[in-house]
Amino acid sequence: MNLQSSKKGTAAVWGGELESFFKGATTPPIVNSVTYAYHDLDEWHEVSLGKKEGYIYSRNTNPTVQVLEEKIRVLEGGEAATSFATGMGAISNTLFALLRPGKRVVSLKDTYGGTSRIFLDFLPGFQVQVTLCDTTDHEQLEAEIAKGCDLLYLETPTNPTLKVVDIKRLAAAAHKVGAVVVVDNTFATPINQNPLKLGADLVLHSATKFLCGHSDAMGGVLTGRKDLVEAVFRFREINGASLAPDPAYLIARGMKTLELRIERQNTSALKIAQFLKAHPKVMDVYYPGLPTHKGHEIARQQMSGFGGMMSFALNGNYDQVKKFLTSLKLVHLAASLGSVSTLAGPPRTTSHVELTEEQRRQLGIPESLIRYSVGIENVEDLIGDLTQALNSL
Ligand SMILES: *Cc1c(COP(=O)(O)O)cnc(C)c1O
């Protein structure tokens, strides 16, 4: 059976699980074995040379971890997949494996905080040239790409103001100059957006977020063009940022309900965004599903759902943000996102904690902004909770 042609809900459940497991187990065993024994030295040698399928050492490959890798591969439509200890492991291994001194990266000002740190603090030290463009300025991005570029790195929708960039348009520009296109698809998830189908060469995720979905395991995944995934895998094997079997099991288990969760979160988030948009104490709502959102048209073309992430600015100052957030009951005031439970926080304590107030202003992040990751709770309860917290202001 070929899961590549099946629907996502099916691929999420059966990906990596079509073969039977140890003693007929119907869930993937957590293989905590570091090493794998051989009775036959010739076979061992063949496997270590990669001429025969098998396992040697769990820093390289592991049967439980491979279940997860296969799930993301079929969900994104990649040729190959690999995984990492965290999402930042996926991002840093990809960038350091594919770039060399003298190469040039073009990316966005609004990438995830940790990714920006790689671009601004680490890659320049290795003589990699980094150009970060205004996130939604497609003309500037195309002009910078046309000057010559080896790697185009995109993220859409972005953190925390949910800006949207046109993957198809920018991937076409990048391919004209022979650049590799990498997309961080964490916010959208493979249910709502498939960058490889829009022209990207590689797509990566912080599996810690929606893929795991329960805030109880960390991981990162990468899928796409086989030659590129293999190049990154060879680096990760040696650099050692491998995913362990226990978190791989939890993430793979979480992924079985990915479609159910995302459909729920898409619907709830849209209702909440509409509710907030109409509320007098809310100044602005940033959600790509709203027709008033600047990226709505592009989002409609490249996404099949608008996701569970949004942000909104209160009519008021940071004191009001504090009062509002601490009045909420059905929420964890915490970093991270994409969990079954609703999470919220201001960018100044979550995604953009390293930045100064001035830097946040330059990125268009108001001090009264709240990032809100919609969980799978009943949406009427969430709206009720938001209502009472807004009334307390
Ligand atoms: C959280 C996140 C990351 C980093 O993932 P970790 O698992 O925390 O290392 C990267 N990109 C985006 C968009 C994220 O939200």
Side-chain angles (χ1 to χ4, degrees):
M1 192 191 169
N2 177 12
L3 287 171
Q4 214 78 56
S5 57
S6 64
K7 298 273 192 284
K8 286 174 183 172
T10 310
V13 173
W14 286 99
E17 305 199 22
L18 286 171
E19 282 172 48
S20 64
F21 297 119
F22 185 62
K23 293 194 190 288
T26 57
T27 62
I30 304 174
V31 180
N32 273 327
S33 188
V34 163
T35 189
Y36 303 83
Y38 289 88
H39 297 294
D40 179 330
L41 293 191
D42 293 334
E43 188 192 357
W44 183 4
H45 191 225
E46 297 255 293
V47 174
S48 17
L49 292 176
K51 289 185 183 154
K52 189 167 189 267
E53 271 194 39
Y55 304 93
I56 296 290
Y57 190 59
S58 282
R59 169 156 44 75
N60 312 339
T61 55
N62 169 281
T64 313
V65 173
Q66 277 181 345
V67 171
L68 164 65
E69 293 171 346
E70 182 60 9
K71 283 194 198 299
I72 194 67
R73 190 190 70 75
V74 291
L75 279 172
E76 290 285 18
E79 292 170 359
T82 189
S83 59
F84 308 84
T86 62
M88 282 316 301
I91 295 164
S92 58
N93 276 266
T94 301
L95 293 171
F96 282 98
L98 301 180
L99 293 165
R100 294 285 175 275
K103 301 274 183 196
R104 179 163 184 256
V105 191
V106 173
S107 189
L108 316 169
K109 283 187 183 157
D110 284 63
T111 53
Y112 176 75
T115 311
S116 300
R117 295 269 68 82
I118 297 186
F119 287 143
L120 298 171
D121 300 348
F122 296 109
L123 285 176
F126 291 89
Q127 277 74 53
V128 173
Q129 207 191 321
V130 179
T131 305
L132 303 183
C133 300
D134 285 337
T135 299
T136 54
D137 189 343
H138 288 76
E139 281 78 25
Q140 189 202 356
L141 275 155
E142 282 172 333
E144 287 298 338
I145 293 164
K147 286 181 193 165
C149 154
D150 301 286
L151 193 146
L152 172 69
Y153 186 98
L154 302 175
E155 192 178 314
T156 179
T158 64
N159 199 359
T161 50
L162 287 292
K163 291 178 186 157
V164 176
V165 297
D166 190 332
I167 298 172
K168 200 184 239 175
R169 174 173 167 183
L170 296 173
H175 288 152
K176 267 194 213 148
V177 297
V180 167
V181 179
V182 182
V183 179
D184 180 338
N185 204 29
T186 303
F187 266 43
T189 81
I191 304 301
N192 287 331
Q193 177 171 277
N194 291 118
L196 299 175
K197 299 200 170 75
L198 298 164
D201 301 296
L202 290 172
V203 52
L204 52 82
H205 290 264
S206 166
T208 314
K209 314 291 171 57
F210 289 100
L211 298 185
C212 171
H214 296 71
S215 287
D216 56 4
M218 302 194 84
V221 287
L222 173 76
T223 182
R225 237 172 72 188
K226 191 161 190 273
D227 58 325
L228 298 171
V229 172
E230 281 175 354
V232 180
F233 168 73
R234 280 194 296 274
F235 184 63
R236 192 226 62 193
E237 272 190 302
I238 301 311
N239 142 314
S242 312
L243 181 62
D246 288 294
Y249 175 83
L250 287 172
I251 296 165
R253 182 168 78 163
M255 284 176 75
K256 292 180 193 181
T257 55
L258 183 66
E259 190 186 48
L260 290 175
R261 288 185 283 110
I262 298 303
E263 281 174 355
R264 170 82 159 207
Q265 285 163 315
N266 285 343
T267 317
S268 299
L270 184 59
K271 281 190 190 152
I272 292 170
Q274 285 162 343
F275 159 79
L276 291 169
K277 184 83 190 165
H279 201 287
K281 287 186 179 158
V282 176
M283 185 168 71
D284 211 347
V285 182
Y286 304 82
Y287 185 66
L290 293 177
T292 47
H293 186 277
K294 287 195 186 77
H296 180 65
E297 272 314 306
I298 303 169
R300 256 174 20 119
Q301 281 161 31
Q302 70 186 14
M303 301 178 83
S304 55
F306 301 109
M309 288 302 299
M310 71 176 70
S311 59
F312 52 96
L314 296 178
N315 268 323
N317 54 23
Y318 192 65
D319 287 336
Q320 251 113 12
V321 169
K322 278 188 194 161
K323 178 134 202 287
F324 171 78
L325 283 176
T326 49
S327 305
L328 287 171
K329 305 275 184 299
L330 291 175
V331 73
H332 289 299
L333 301 185
S336 200
L337 57 105
S339 189
V340 288
S341 42
T342 298
L343 298 163
R348 78 144 89 174
T349 60
T350 57
S351 55
H352 290 68
V353 63
E354 296 99 343
L355 273 57
T356 63
E357 195 166 328
E358 178 53 29
Q359 284 172 317
R360 283 191 293 269
R361 206 191 339 271
Q362 279 175 8
L363 282 173
I365 303 173
E367 283 300 290
S368 71
L369 194 75
I370 290 158
R371 194 179 74 171
Y372 193 79
S373 168
V374 180
I376 63 166
E377 301 93 339
N378 180 289
V379 68
E380 300 308 324
D381 287 341
L382 291 178
I383 290 176
D385 191 33
L386 289 162
T387 305
Q388 64 79 21
L390 286 166
N391 287 344
S392 78
L393 297 181

